[in-house]
Amino acid sequence: MPGTPVVLLHGLAVSHRYLMPTARRLAAHRPVFVPDLPGFGYSDKPPVAYDVDRHARHLSAWLDARELGPVGVVGHSFGAEVAARLAVLRPDAVSSLVLAGPTCDVRARSRWGLLRRWLADLPFEPAWQAPILACDVAQARPWRVWATVGHSARNAIEDDLLELPVRPLVLGGALDPVAPPGWRSAVAIATGGVAVTVPGAAHNALTTAGERCAALIEAHVRGDSGVADAACVSVARKSGSSEAPRGASG
């Protein structure tokens, strides 16, 4: 199949499963890969939970082993942190980047801050996702999920954002309390990217709004800068504002 391959990276408590609504639609246009990060889904289960850097280095080796680069990388939630680090480590291997619902907003940069936001997200998510999440957590084991939450809270994503080799699409749901619109706009400003908000969706927009997200991702990978306006979504582009993600205060 022609076209640049796209790699989708899942979040910290889940696996490839919840990304499939977007992956299936993208696969109509180009090769799509949805790997399980080490410790999650069907991957091997190392005795320790990998941090952002170790996941990114594992993916770098994975890309080389499959001779996949350069690729478009789509990271969701914690996967967006890994995607950003991968792009910084391997600018030769990442041709485009999508940060979907990226963690970790500096205003919730702690285990309990993240947990409170995920709990706040639950009322906005369709109940049919619950069995998928339960299966993924059981496969990963709760200790690994909790340890990975800590890795997310300690990762200063803003350092990677300032070194990105490409301008990202920063994607997320209008109802997302985990990576809210204000945080996503700040990420777009810091990176020179564009923030696009999907109406009616919450944190798991790649699951619940797969068709809309796939259209936006496909256009971004193609380099079609006009897709955001055509999709009837709200857009935040880089401007003269000095606002940018700042370091955590504790």
Side-chain angles (χ1 to χ4, degrees):
M1 177 182 293
T4 301
V6 169
V7 177
L8 274 66
L9 304 178
H10 62 77
L12 63 82
V14 281
S15 75
H16 71 281
R17 294 182 182 94
Y18 79 108
L19 297 175
M20 295 311 293
T22 293
R24 291 190 182 99
R25 288 165 173 82
L26 281 172
H29 305 283
R30 60 187 65 252
V32 177
F33 298 85
V34 197
D36 286 328
L37 297 175
F40 298 90
Y42 292 122
S43 72
D44 290 340
K45 304 298 185 290
V48 296
Y50 285 11
D51 62 11
V52 169
D53 190 71
R54 195 165 181 182
H55 276 304
R57 293 183 185 279
H58 171 86
L59 284 163
S60 174
W62 180 83
L63 289 171
D64 287 343
R66 286 155 181 79
E67 300 181 346
L68 284 179
V71 298
V73 179
V74 180
H76 176 251
S77 199
F78 178 74
E81 297 183 61
V82 176
R85 180 66 54 83
L86 176 64
V88 171
L89 290 174
R90 293 292 307 276
D92 61 304
V94 178
S95 59
S96 61
L97 182 65
V98 178
L99 305 176
T103 47
C104 178
D105 185 347
V106 294
R107 293 169 297 179
R109 191 162 288 176
S110 69
R111 276 192 171 113
W112 293 109
L114 280 168
L115 180 60
R116 283 192 293 269
R117 288 197 172 189
W118 279 315
L119 290 174
D121 183 61
L122 290 178
F124 300 109
E125 300 288 354
W128 56 261
Q129 296 178 89
I132 301 173
L133 176 61
C135 178
D136 285 342
V137 171
Q139 279 193 299
R141 305 297 294 272
W143 71 263
R144 191 185 311 278
V145 173
W146 187 240
T148 308
V149 174
H151 288 316
S152 178
R154 288 188 292 273
N155 179 54
I157 188 175
E158 62 272 14
D159 293 342
D160 289 327
L161 296 178
L162 296 176
E163 297 184 29
L164 291 181
V166 292
R167 294 185 176 187
L169 168 64
V170 186
L171 182 62
L175 306 177
D176 184 1
V178 180
W183 162 249
R184 299 197 307 268
S185 294
V187 170
I189 290 167
T191 59
V194 56
V196 179
T197 297
V198 180
H203 190 56
N204 290 346
L206 298 187
T207 306
T208 60
E211 186 170 354
R212 284 178 289 175
C213 290
L216 291 163
I217 294 167
E218 169 62 22
H220 181 69
V221 173
R222 281 200 320 264
D224 181 359
S225 60
V227 65
D229 300 318
C232 298
V233 297
S234 65
V235 181
R237 298 183 185 277
K238 183 175 181 179
S239 65
S241 170
S242 61
E243 181 183 2
R246 299 181 182 273
S249 58

